Amino acid sequence: MTQMISQTFDVKGGPHYGRENVPKIRAALDELGLDGFLIPHEDEYDNEYLPDCNERLLWATGFSGSAGAALVMKDRAAVFVDGRYTLQVKNQVDGEIFEYADLVEQGMAGWIEDKGKAGEKIGYDARLHSPAALHRLQVAAGRAGVTLVPVSENPVDRAWTDRPEPPMTPVIPHPIEYAGEDHGSKRARVGAIVGKEGADAAVITAPPSIAWLFNVRGSDVSRSPLPLSAAIIDKDGTATFFVAPEKITDETRAHLGNEIALRPESEFGAGLAEYTGKTVRVDPTTASAWVLESLRGGGAEVQQAEDPVMRPKARKNAAEIEGARQAHIRDGGAIVQFLHWLDTFAQSGQVDEIEAAQKLESFRKQLPELRDLSFDTISGAQGNGAFAHYRVSEATNLKLAQGTLYLVDSGGQYPDGTTDITRTVPIGAPTAEMRTQFTRVLKGHIALSMVRFPKGTTGTQLDVLARLPLWQAGFDYDHGTGHGVGSFLGVHEGPQRISKAANTVPLEPGMIVSNEPGYYKADGYGIRIENLQFVTDAADIAGGERPMLGFETLTVAPIHKGLIDTHLLTADELAWLDSYHAMVRQRVLPLVSGEVADWLLKATEPLAGATP
């Protein structure tokens, strides 16, 4: 794989993007006979993180967040973001050009229904919309008397004359020692799922699913080891891999074998058209509307169902769990060095957010196994910590000032696992309010770590445990409590999650999820405590009637005791924290020495019976 790219802190995005590029888009609309165009954040691969050539929303608006959309009309425009980005969008997008709108409650469909004008023609690129999302837009347009028009040429691509070239990085085999199962076995299992549910084949468009299914990785996307491509798997387990030929090495060709046919990605449309008279399974949440239209245009019957790779991929096998455990121990050594640095050198009040992020990156880079970061570090001091998904730049960089909190959310990509950890650290003496709020967040975190639950329980049903201590005091946070995590894949993975939003996917043994409640005081500080944990097999509880699943924590790094008000913790909560810190000490102490080892011993001393 290519060498990881260090983080940069230049201003990415900004109001000038819209000022410069909206007129170009409107000129393209005139040439195509359209009144407007829909611009989702998603690309052809439905990735969260995009290659530069697919950053259409950023180019059109200046908004650099990981979720959003825009609608550019000849005479007006709107940009849509969720609760994570309501402040960021106002800094990055010109309010004179774009109306700020809500992505979740209103969305583009609600905007079209409310503000569309009868007779208007709004274009869309079917490769960039899921069937479900497109259907909602079409219904809303119909109510407003607006016509949605599919385009063969995307007007953003037409106007973006200096658009970067698509990435062409090599596809490499993922060793069996990390995968835990060869791709022949995986294909047979997935093919059997496809056939059992009445389909002849399934289209796989999500790059993480393709990477897992064929035991390959790539580096087409920053921070996620993915090869951009597409695939079709038949019910007998044979498959076709649609990928740029330049990406396939002789080693990878041998690894794939003769049951996986290789075709250029440019032939994907032709491949879909070859399933005349067949029933083909497609996931309407990950595949684009174009895929469904291409299949139906070729005479195939479309079965809309979940990507058959998604759940097998989410249920990590023994090798993947052990790999995750080792990756977290290794990563924990780097984190402990960084936390020691924060508790000593950074207490001067002169360190800034960028310096801190670079320091953490330097500790991780000392690990020979590191392949990349799993995302750009969230390094938030003072009021910047109140932005849950803050991205530091030269323009926003603040000092880790005395009397404030510092929030750092980061992760690494290793061949055996993907890490994601958040810690909150005091700079100088914390206030009583900071300690109280931190302890409330900690209580929620511990509750979600300790819970036992029966088979069939979903993350939605557990979410309240992490929020309850905050709710009882009149507080909350506006993001999910937990997301799935891949095995040397994306740091955000489905289908499981822990959040208020309804999710019907039961938590099953081997699934890795984050546990990350938080609290954010606008213009003040941010608090988040995040560990990764995996679902353990069901076990009997003495005196109980049913076997219960549980969680085992993977992340190993101290939780700052200086922010804990022990009077607010129960005996069971204190016991959990002491047990967790004992595990951190046992696993990480062999990796550090000298002052760092001394610091770790103190940071993991038991709290039970202690007074604040």
Side-chain angles (χ1 to χ4, degrees):
M1 295 180 68
T2 57
Q3 187 175 9
M4 71 163 282
I5 299 173
S6 296
Q7 298 174 91
T8 59
F9 304 97
D10 300 326
V11 176
K12 187 177 183 181
H16 64 283
Y17 278 70
R19 294 169 193 153
E20 294 171 4
N21 297 327
V22 166
K24 299 175 185 177
I25 295 171
R26 286 175 171 156
L29 294 178
D30 281 335
E31 294 168 1
L32 297 171
L34 297 170
D35 298 300
F37 188 69
L38 304 170
I39 309 172
H41 175 268
E42 292 78 13
D43 68 358
E44 296 89 325
Y45 305 96
D46 194 36
N47 279 323
E48 179 179 9
Y49 303 110
L50 311 181
D52 289 343
C53 63
N54 289 347
E55 289 276 13
R56 297 179 178 92
L57 181 63
L58 170 64
W59 182 84
T61 68
F63 173 67
S64 64
S66 62
L71 178 50
V72 175
M73 306 293 293
K74 286 184 177 180
D75 58 353
R76 59 204 192 281
V79 60
F80 304 84
V81 300
D82 62 26
R84 296 173 294 173
Y85 295 114
T86 51
L87 296 177
Q88 178 178 327
V89 72
K90 292 177 182 178
N91 291 330
Q92 291 189 309
V93 178
D94 190 334
E96 295 295 317
I97 299 174
F98 288 91
E99 170 193 345
Y100 306 125
D102 184 84
L103 180 67
V104 179
E105 296 299 324
Q106 182 186 37
M108 288 194 289
W111 193 95
I112 290 171
E113 186 169 348
D114 293 341
K115 300 184 179 182
K117 299 175 184 177
E120 286 184 319
K121 295 180 180 179
I122 299 178
Y124 69 90
D125 186 338
R127 295 174 184 262
L128 309 182
H129 298 269
S130 71
L134 184 58
H135 176 72
R136 289 192 295 271
L137 291 165
Q138 289 169 329
V139 170
R143 289 173 178 163
V146 171
T147 302
L148 293 190
V149 181
V151 299
S152 56
E153 182 181 12
N154 187 312
V156 172
D157 297 350
R158 182 186 185 110
W160 192 359
T161 54
D162 57 349
R163 185 182 175 197
E165 291 296 318
M168 287 291 167
T169 63
V171 176
I172 63 171
H174 187 52
I176 189 68
E177 64 186 285
Y178 302 136
E181 181 182 9
D182 65 65
H183 65 74
S185 173
K186 289 182 176 181
R187 287 186 287 105
R189 283 204 291 138
V190 172
I193 294 170
V194 172
K196 183 179 179 180
E197 298 186 9
D200 297 297
V203 176
I204 311 297
T205 58
S209 292
I210 294 167
W212 180 90
L213 181 63
F214 296 154
N215 283 347
V216 294
R217 298 295 187 266
S219 49
D220 285 342
V221 181
S222 176
R223 313 309 183 209
S224 297
L226 299 173
L228 297 181
S229 53
I232 302 174
I233 181 168
D234 291 339
K235 63 183 180 181
D236 65 0
T238 61
T240 304
F241 189 13
F242 296 92
V243 60
E246 301 95 316
K247 298 180 182 180
I248 301 298
T249 66
D250 290 341
E251 179 189 14
T252 301
R253 193 180 302 274
H255 162 79
L256 294 171
N258 56 17
E259 290 189 344
I260 301 174
L262 287 167
R263 294 178 64 174
E265 191 175 6
S266 58
E267 295 182 10
F268 183 40
L272 296 173
E274 292 167 7
Y275 280 82
T276 304
K278 302 285 189 179
T279 299
V280 182
R281 176 170 172 157
V282 179
D283 188 334
T285 67
T286 58
S288 70
W290 173 84
V291 170
L292 272 73
E293 292 167 3
S294 298
L295 286 167
R296 287 171 177 155
E301 180 180 340
V302 174
Q303 179 192 83
Q304 296 191 44
E306 183 181 85
D307 176 348
V309 173
M310 194 171 291
R311 295 204 194 198
K313 174 167 60 70
R315 296 187 291 259
K316 307 297 183 287
N317 59 41
E320 291 171 319
I321 289 295
E322 182 57 27
R325 188 178 285 114
Q326 295 304 318
H328 279 85
I329 292 171
R330 192 185 309 124
D331 197 67
I335 291 291
V336 163
Q337 292 181 72
F338 177 64
L339 292 177
H340 165 260
W341 180 83
L342 285 176
D343 243 12
T344 53
F345 185 85
Q347 293 296 310
S348 67
Q350 298 306 305
V351 171
D352 61 36
E353 295 168 336
I354 290 177
E355 184 180 354
Q358 289 173 327
K359 191 67 176 180
L360 175 52
E361 182 178 315
S362 73
F363 285 128
R364 280 200 171 101
K365 281 183 173 179
Q366 293 173 17
L367 301 171
E369 298 88 352
L370 182 72
R371 296 295 178 267
D372 200 349
L373 303 181
S374 56
F375 56 96
D376 287 334
T377 299
I378 296 170
S379 177
Q382 305 181 55
N384 285 342
F387 295 87
H389 292 79
Y390 170 69
R391 173 78 173 93
V392 59
S393 69
E394 295 284 359
T396 62
N397 191 25
L398 292 179
K399 298 281 190 184
L400 279 60
Q402 288 282 320
T404 67
L405 297 182
Y406 172 63
L407 184 155
V408 56
D409 186 347
S410 68
Q413 291 282 10
Y414 304 92
D416 48 358
T418 299
T419 71
D420 182 5
I421 173 176
T422 307
R423 289 295 183 265
T424 306
V425 174
I427 307 299
T431 65
E433 175 194 289
M434 291 172 178
R435 296 177 71 232
T436 297
Q437 295 297 73
F438 182 89
T439 307
R440 287 176 176 142
V441 172
L442 176 60
K443 287 171 73 70
H445 177 90
I446 293 173
L448 192 55
S449 299
M450 293 176 64
V451 64
R452 303 295 295 274
F453 53 93
K455 181 180 179 180
T457 301
T458 68
T460 300
Q461 293 165 326
L462 299 182
D463 180 77
V464 65
L465 295 172
R467 298 179 191 270
L468 185 58
L470 288 164
W471 284 1
Q472 288 175 320
F475 303 103
D476 199 4
Y477 50 93
D478 295 325
H479 57 74
T481 300
H483 55 82
V485 178
S487 179
F488 190 37
L489 283 172
V491 74
H492 296 136
E493 175 180 277
Q496 78 278 14
R497 65 176 182 270
I498 302 173
S499 69
K500 289 181 183 178
N503 181 268
T504 60
V505 178
L507 294 169
E508 299 183 53
M511 286 182 170
I512 296 176
V513 293
S514 65
N515 173 358
E516 50 181 309
Y519 169 72
Y520 309 91
K521 183 175 183 178
D523 301 320
Y525 55 85
I527 295 168
R528 188 161 63 249
I529 304 169
E530 178 187 15
N531 285 345
L532 298 191
Q533 54 195 40
F534 69 91
V535 182
T536 58
D537 287 317
D540 293 333
I541 296 176
E545 295 180 348
R546 301 183 184 184
M548 294 283 168
L549 301 170
F551 290 115
E552 181 178 322
T553 301
L554 289 165
T555 305
V556 283
I559 295 169
H560 205 290
K561 293 188 297 182
L563 283 171
I564 299 172
D565 183 345
T566 56
H567 290 131
L568 297 179
L569 296 182
T570 67
D572 285 345
E573 290 167 342
L574 279 168
W576 180 92
L577 186 63
D578 287 346
S579 176
Y580 174 69
H581 277 155
M583 179 187 75
V584 171
R585 179 187 293 198
Q586 184 267 327
R587 293 185 178 180
V588 180
L589 192 58
L591 304 180
V592 295
S593 60
E595 292 182 0
V596 178
D598 293 340
W599 176 89
L600 178 60
L601 288 170
K602 292 179 181 178
T604 55
E605 286 177 348
L607 267 175
T611 57

